[in-house]
Amino acid sequence: MNAPQRLGLYGGGLAAVFVAAFAVAGAVVPDSTVVAWSATAGEGSGGMEMSDGAAAGGHGQDDAAHGAGGAPAQVRGLSLEQDGLLLSPVSVPDETGEKGTLSFSVVDADGAAVTGFETEHDKELHLIVVRSDGAEFRHVHPTMSADGVWSIPWTWAEAGSYRVFADFVPEATGENVTLSRAVDVAGRVAPEPPTAVSASDTTGGYTATLVGELSATGESTLTATVTKDGEPVTDLEPYLGAYGHLVALRAGDLAYLHVHPEGAEPGPDSASGPDVAFLTQAPTPGRYLLYLDFKVDGDVHTARFVLDTHGSH
Ligand SMILES: [Cu+2]
């Protein structure tokens, strides 16, 4: 076989692999998500539409997270790099049902693992793992070894394309950082149909309802109300420095919104309810996936919601 023929075959093989990989991704996630993630990977920077002139052509600056021209920090978590910190490759079990460990490090520009983290919302690092369609969601707290490897026992319940977010405050800067990576889990995937708008969810016998508008033009308050059998639940326990923890992600690219609980941090033995209020702002009009963790009788429950921003239906 001569060289041109070998090259031709080699090229053909690459093309076939690429097509197969894309076909798998397409089966797992909507095309819009694939395109958005591809664009993110290519640019090395999230929130392209939020970019300003200073970031044009630049790599490595998550400009959207810092805001442009004094705009509030809103979009984050679309990049594996922010503020000179990198999320290492995430080690996970390869397929569903396999008992294993999820582990990773946060590394600095010199490749050294970061070990100094500040406590925020009760923890040094918050790990959010969500499937691209939003149907699978976990918010957990791994532990760090002395050499800066974060790990937690892990088993995948469902196959698919996931995004893993690490949300933390490094001691070096004191500034919140959210890094993420895409992780694929082998197995037969049954994507959930497109999510419908829903401001109420029942889990473990508790019903959580979100009241308030999500706005893309300013900060607004979302209030979660928890009931059981129609009665208000007034013994919500402190969890992660509040009476609930809300994660909000933009549908389509899973951009990570910053959400602040309202009110003072509760004491260790206090209880509250049925209302928990949060302040947040959507970076763009459109649809958002929200996940509320709350604790009652020592158990943490997760309620899921889908909201459109005010006026975008
Ligand atoms: Cu957390």
Side-chain angles (χ1 to χ4, degrees), residues 121 123 125-128 139-141 239-240 245:
H121 302 310
K123 302 287 179 182
L125 185 141
H126 301 264
L127 186 76
I128 310 290
H139 173 186
V140 294
H141 305 101
Y239 181 60
L240 304 176
H245 191 273

Side-chain angles (χ1 to χ4, degrees), residues 90-109:
V90 181
S91 171
V92 290
D94 290 331
E95 51 189 62
T96 56
E98 181 185 334
K99 285 194 170 67
T101 301
L102 185 156
S103 64
F104 59 90
S105 291
V106 176
V107 298
D108 64 19

Side-chain angles (χ1 to χ4, degrees), residues 79-144:
S79 173
L80 57 80
E81 182 278 339
Q82 183 189 329
D83 297 353
L85 299 175
L86 273 152
L87 184 62
S88 77
V90 181
S91 171
V92 290
D94 290 331
E95 51 189 62
T96 56
E98 181 185 334
K99 285 194 170 67
T101 301
L102 185 156
S103 64
F104 59 90
S105 291
V106 176
V107 298
D108 64 19
D110 299 323
V114 175
T115 56
F117 294 87
E118 292 184 2
T119 297
E120 186 186 42
H121 302 310
D122 261 6
K123 302 287 179 182
E124 290 191 321
L125 185 141
H126 301 264
L127 186 76
I128 310 290
V129 180
V130 60
R131 199 167 76 172
S132 58
D133 62 359
E136 298 290 318
F137 174 90
R138 289 178 72 183
H139 173 186
V140 294
H141 305 101
T143 53
M144 189 184 71

Side-chain angles (χ1 to χ4, degrees), residues 28-40 49 78 130-134 161 163 165 194-195 248-257 284-289 291 306-308:
V28 173
V29 296
D31 281 349
S32 57
T33 308
V34 174
V35 170
W37 287 13
S38 303
T40 300
E49 73 279 12
L78 287 174
V130 60
R131 199 167 76 172
S132 58
D133 62 359
S161 291
R163 189 165 276 267
F165 298 90
T195 37
L249 304 169
R250 182 164 60 184
D253 68 355
L254 302 180
Y256 191 89
L257 279 60
T284 52
R287 182 156 294 184
Y288 291 82
L289 313 172
Y291 303 85
V306 179
L307 293 186
D308 285 340

